Amino acid sequence: MDILSRIQLHREEEQRLAWEGTFAEYLDILRDRPFVAQSAHSRVYNMIKDAGISEKNGQKVYHFFSDQIFGLEESIERLVEEYFHPAAKRLDVRKRILLLMGPVSGGKSTLVTMLKRGLEQYTKTPAGAVYAIKGCPMHEDPLHLIPQNLRKEFFNDYGIRVEGSLSPLNTMRLEHEYDSRIEDVMVERVFFSEDKRTGIGTFSPSDPKSQDIADLTGSIDFSTIAEYGSESDPRAYRFDGELNKANRGMMEFQEMLKCDEKFLWHLLSLTQEGNFKAGRFALISADELIVAHTNESEYRSFIANKKNEALHSRIIVMGVPYNLKVSEEEKIYAKMISESDMSHVHIAPHALRVAATFSVLTRLKDSKKQGMDLLKKMRLYDGEIVEGFNHVDLEELQKEFADEGMSGIDPRYVINRISSAIIRKETPSINALDVLRSLKDGLDHHASISKEDKERFINFISAARKEYDDIAKKEVQKAFVYSYEESAKTLMDNYLDNVEAYCNKNKLRDPLTGEEMSPDEKLMRSIEEQIGISENAKKAFREEILIRISAYARKGKKFDYNSHERLREAIQKKLFADLKDVVKITTSSKTPDESQLKKINEVIARLVDEHGYNTTSANELLRYVGSLLNR
């Protein structure tokens, strides 16, 4: 289907969703679907909830944010459960400004943008439908037409609570255009749109000397004064400020704490009483969610000023720190690259991981827990098993520093350096070493990094390099060992025979001589030592293997090379240790012979087909691992 056909379908869909009718007909809709009259906060909460909620490692995961925001599950859960959920239930939280506080490029703006884009789509669904008085510049709630003295009866009949007063403009229109017949007032379905300034507003501070308060609350239309005769006539007023246009939805207050005081005063009444002052009118009711964002230093300055106490008490601060999980940080970079013109470039496996490792290390704080270093902490945070530590230790680490993740290297810097690496390299492929080199070079030109931080960051780059060295060797090891698959199976079978004899205190029989032999302790230890099994722990490990074999047998399954992850790793490492000289010679030979060349091509094919490399990055990996083994 071509683009014009899609545009036609889009137009037809908008026409299908459109609705217009009288207030009496709108009441029929409410009787069938009372949720239509939900508040702005309730609409946002239901939008997030309707997208789906699951649980991962005891943490709630809100699918609404899943594809765009990574590693901030805890912050998002707190945001939803401590702000949106109680606000949706009309608790006092809804009378607070939501202030997202965190470092640059931490996801604050992305989070707000997702809420805005989400509302635009949600109001096109039956669950998120919004109805307003037709022709009202503020998309006013039709239920404001119900007189105050009848609202209790309306609640008894419909179960819907009505808050807010009819605006000055619609009060006049009701009298003049509808002869005070509320049931005849026209109502229409509206769809939120930031571009059309319907239900979504954005206010950004500029020079306080030139910025007018009218940007927030609207202004008098002086061209109509002669026609209407008074500045207090609502028809002579343009209700086009951001607070007017964001009614029924949400307003993003960018860099709120940089605003001049006069722009913040209006928020006091709006948050606490649900109304604001505009022109020469009575207070105007507004139902909207106000979201602001700032960084930590500006927030500290703001609360230090006693003049801001009234507003401070009306703010709920939600921390949005940097992500502290390496695997999630990788997803951030992959997303940013996919949205750029760099998506055609081949990025070798682990290139983004080393960048993520470096970034996360810069954001972590040194723990006082004995035996805990930053690398172990990083692995625990990412859900890896670290010997000697458990889930309780992880919880203690996460509570140790309240401000962990509020400083460090931001994702934009990393993406800038990856971009630089791509531009510098002529081939359309970059690897982990290219990324690390570019990250290190960029520190010299990073204006906000102190000399002490630079030294720390260079150490973190070295740590990321060591991590990559281990990964690279394992990657080549797997590719080589796979070519010796039969050898791996034979070695494992031999190990299992010896383990079974050891645990059952039996003897083995030599297949050639028939002679009885004791289990080969040297063979078993040579394998177990590859994965750090100590002399004291060997018995427990062997018994665990035997239990696993029995469990497989009971289920009618065959225990094979892939049945026990740690044993498989030990077998691979043992084989690789035995093959190290072969790998060293094969990868480092400048003029490989025919058999070496065949082996190299097999390994490259394996790296390309099963590990995500292309031929360029696979060759670079082999050369690098060869140099590591020759050191």
Side-chain angles (χ1 to χ4, degrees):
M1 188 182 293
D2 63 23
I3 187 63
L4 293 178
S5 301
R6 292 180 187 276
I7 290 171
Q8 173 68 16
L9 283 175
H10 175 73
R11 187 163 53 243
E12 289 172 359
E13 177 65 12
E14 286 195 333
Q15 290 168 355
R16 186 186 68 79
L17 291 174
W19 181 90
E20 187 178 303
T22 63
F23 181 71
E25 291 170 325
Y26 174 63
L27 289 180
D28 291 335
I29 291 175
L30 287 187
R31 200 172 284 282
D32 293 335
R33 296 184 290 151
F35 61 83
V36 164
Q38 63 190 323
S39 67
H41 289 84
S42 177
R43 190 173 294 109
V44 172
Y45 173 69
N46 287 326
M47 170 186 74
I48 295 169
K49 184 167 64 72
D50 290 352
I53 306 170
S54 60
E55 197 167 296
K56 182 181 178 184
N57 300 325
Q59 189 90 59
K60 280 188 179 179
V61 177
Y62 295 90
H63 300 173
F64 179 82
F65 301 99
S66 293
D67 295 334
Q68 297 291 320
I69 297 177
F70 306 101
L72 295 179
E73 291 83 7
E74 189 176 335
S75 297
I76 289 172
E77 182 178 359
R78 184 168 167 246
L79 172 66
V80 175
E81 294 303 325
E82 294 185 22
Y83 183 77
F84 288 130
H85 193 178
K89 300 297 183 185
R90 296 182 184 270
L91 292 170
D92 219 45
V93 172
R94 69 196 170 105
K95 298 177 180 179
R96 308 287 182 270
I97 297 166
L98 174 62
L99 179 64
L100 304 177
M101 181 184 70
V104 295
S105 189
K108 303 185 298 295
S109 298
T110 303
L111 201 152
V112 175
T113 300
M114 286 191 73
L115 291 174
K116 292 194 290 188
R117 296 293 87 81
L119 278 173
E120 289 178 344
Q121 294 304 313
Y122 193 60
T123 55
K124 293 178 182 176
T125 67
V130 181
Y131 295 84
I133 295 172
K134 187 180 179 184
C136 174
M138 286 182 59
H139 340 292
E140 187 165 10
D141 187 345
L143 295 182
H144 285 181
L145 291 162
I146 297 173
Q148 293 284 350
N149 62 322
L150 296 178
R151 290 185 179 182
K152 188 174 181 180
E153 291 179 37
F154 179 77
F155 177 73
N156 293 334
D157 288 347
Y158 285 80
I160 298 170
R161 187 176 282 104
V162 183
E163 294 179 344
S165 304
L166 195 63
S167 66
L169 178 61
N170 285 322
T171 300
M172 178 174 280
R173 289 179 64 208
L174 175 63
E175 187 178 336
H176 292 168
E177 294 178 28
Y178 296 101
D179 196 23
S180 297
R181 288 179 57 83
I182 291 171
E183 62 271 31
D184 293 339
V185 174
M186 294 304 294
V187 175
E188 63 179 348
R189 184 174 177 181
V190 295
F191 306 99
F192 287 176
S193 168
E194 186 175 18
D195 294 337
K196 295 177 182 177
R197 301 185 73 214
T198 305
I200 298 175
T202 304
F203 183 80
S204 182
S206 59
D207 183 2
K209 294 177 182 175
S210 60
Q211 192 163 33
D212 193 348
I213 198 70
D215 294 345
L216 272 183
T217 60
S219 60
I220 296 167
D221 185 352
F222 288 101
S223 65
T224 62
I225 298 296
E227 181 182 352
Y228 298 119
S230 170
E231 291 182 12
S232 60
D233 190 311
R235 293 169 297 179
Y237 196 85
R238 289 196 296 259
F239 295 90
D240 60 356
E242 294 303 321
L243 292 179
N244 307 106
K245 292 299 182 181
N247 186 34
R248 312 292 301 286
M250 67 176 283
M251 189 188 84
E252 178 187 9
F253 214 127
Q254 295 178 348
E255 302 298 340
M256 184 182 85
L257 304 186
K258 289 179 180 172
C259 267
D260 190 64
E261 289 175 357
K262 66 181 179 182
F263 292 97
L264 301 179
W265 292 334
H266 284 277
L267 302 182
L268 296 177
S269 174
L270 179 60
T271 52
Q272 193 61 38
E273 307 299 334
N275 51 44
F276 64 93
K277 192 81 172 71
R280 299 177 181 180
F281 307 115
L283 291 169
I284 296 175
S285 295
D287 171 30
E288 56 196 83
L289 161 69
I290 297 178
V291 186
H293 40 87
T294 189
N295 59 48
E296 193 172 8
S297 60
E298 281 180 355
Y299 177 70
R300 299 297 170 208
S301 301
F302 172 76
I303 60 174
N305 187 345
K306 294 292 182 184
K307 289 168 64 179
N308 297 323
E309 281 184 352
L311 187 60
H312 180 227
S313 67
R314 289 171 171 84
I315 291 175
I316 282 189
V317 181
M318 290 288 171
V320 184
Y322 284 134
N323 159 60
L324 298 176
K325 297 176 183 174
V326 172
S327 56
E328 296 296 313
E329 190 74 8
E330 278 188 84
K331 293 176 186 175
I332 294 173
Y333 303 149
K335 170 182 165 263
M336 293 171 88
I337 289 169
S338 69
E339 293 171 349
S340 72
D341 291 337
M342 302 188 295
S343 54
H344 67 285
V345 175
H346 172 76
I347 297 175
H350 315 298
L352 298 184
R353 183 169 184 82
V354 295
T357 298
F358 163 69
S359 298
V360 170
L361 285 173
T362 68
R363 300 166 188 172
L364 295 175
K365 291 181 179 287
D366 289 299
S367 174
K368 294 172 185 174
K369 185 178 277 290
Q370 190 173 0
M372 178 60 63
D373 58 30
L374 285 185
L375 282 168
K376 287 178 182 176
K377 188 176 187 180
M378 178 189 78
R379 292 191 182 102
L380 273 173
Y381 275 16
D382 205 30
E384 292 184 38
I385 295 169
V386 177
E387 194 171 349
F389 298 96
N390 55 33
H391 186 69
V392 175
D393 295 303
L394 174 60
E395 289 180 351
E396 288 176 6
L397 288 170
Q398 290 170 331
K399 293 173 182 175
E400 193 173 7
F401 301 104
D403 62 342
E404 191 167 47
M406 285 294 183
S407 61
I409 288 291
D410 65 280
R412 286 192 194 121
Y413 170 79
V414 175
I415 286 298
N416 291 345
R417 298 317 304 163
I418 291 173
S419 306
S420 177
I422 290 170
I423 298 302
R424 256 190 261 171
K425 204 169 179 188
E426 292 180 5
T427 55
S429 169
I430 61 166
N431 59 38
L433 296 177
D434 297 323
V435 171
L436 287 173
R437 198 178 298 117
S438 186
L439 286 170
K440 188 176 181 181
D441 292 345
L443 295 178
D444 293 328
H445 310 293
H446 202 303
S448 61
I449 294 180
S450 65
K451 187 178 178 182
E452 293 77 16
D453 281 343
K454 183 182 173 184
E455 289 176 4
R456 279 178 59 245
F457 291 172
I458 287 174
N459 289 336
F460 292 146
I461 288 174
S462 298
R465 167 81 176 267
K466 287 176 184 172
E467 290 280 297
Y468 175 66
D469 288 353
D470 291 338
I471 291 170
K473 283 189 278 190
K474 282 180 185 174
E475 201 91 295
V476 173
Q477 163 192 320
K478 285 179 186 174
F480 263 91
V481 167
Y482 207 89
S483 302
Y484 292 86
E485 193 171 355
E486 286 304 316
S487 303
K489 287 178 179 176
T490 302
L491 182 59
M492 192 193 76
D493 289 341
N494 198 357
Y495 173 78
L496 292 178
D497 288 343
N498 281 275
V499 163
E500 191 173 357
Y502 169 86
C503 291
N504 294 328
K505 296 180 181 176
N506 292 333
K507 298 277 187 179
L508 289 167
R509 192 172 294 280
D510 189 303
L512 294 176
T513 64
E515 181 186 353
E516 284 193 341
M517 304 177 299
S518 296
D520 190 342
E521 185 65 24
K522 187 177 179 183
L523 170 73
M524 290 187 286
R525 292 302 295 140
S526 70
I527 291 170
E528 291 157 358
E529 284 170 353
Q530 302 294 331
I531 52 171
I533 303 294
S534 67
E535 184 71 25
N536 292 332
K538 69 180 183 183
K539 187 173 184 290
F541 181 74
R542 293 170 189 176
E543 288 173 347
E544 180 199 326
I545 296 289
L546 214 57
I547 291 168
R548 181 75 65 90
I549 292 171
S550 300
Y552 268 68
R554 281 199 307 273
K555 294 175 184 175
K557 293 181 182 178
K558 187 177 184 300
F559 186 91
D560 61 21
Y561 182 62
N562 294 307
S563 299
H564 194 287
E565 192 174 331
R566 292 194 73 203
L567 179 57
R568 185 178 72 236
E569 183 188 351
I571 295 289
Q572 286 179 346
K573 284 187 172 181
K574 168 64 177 161
L575 258 184
F576 190 62
D578 296 342
L579 291 169
K580 191 173 280 187
D581 289 339
V582 177
V583 176
K584 197 186 295 184
I585 293 166
T586 307
T587 55
S588 59
S589 177
K590 291 181 180 177
T591 54
D593 60 30
E594 190 176 336
S595 65
Q596 289 172 342
L597 199 58
K598 184 183 176 186
K599 182 58 64 181
I600 288 173
N601 289 335
E602 282 178 10
V603 172
I604 287 174
R606 182 78 58 196
L607 289 169
V608 171
D609 295 341
E610 297 183 10
H611 296 280
Y613 291 83
N614 66 4
T615 51
T616 303
S617 58
N619 272 294
E620 289 171 343
L621 177 71
L622 282 178
R623 282 198 299 272
Y624 180 62
V625 170
S627 71
L628 287 177
L629 295 174
N630 277 315
R631 285 177 191 173

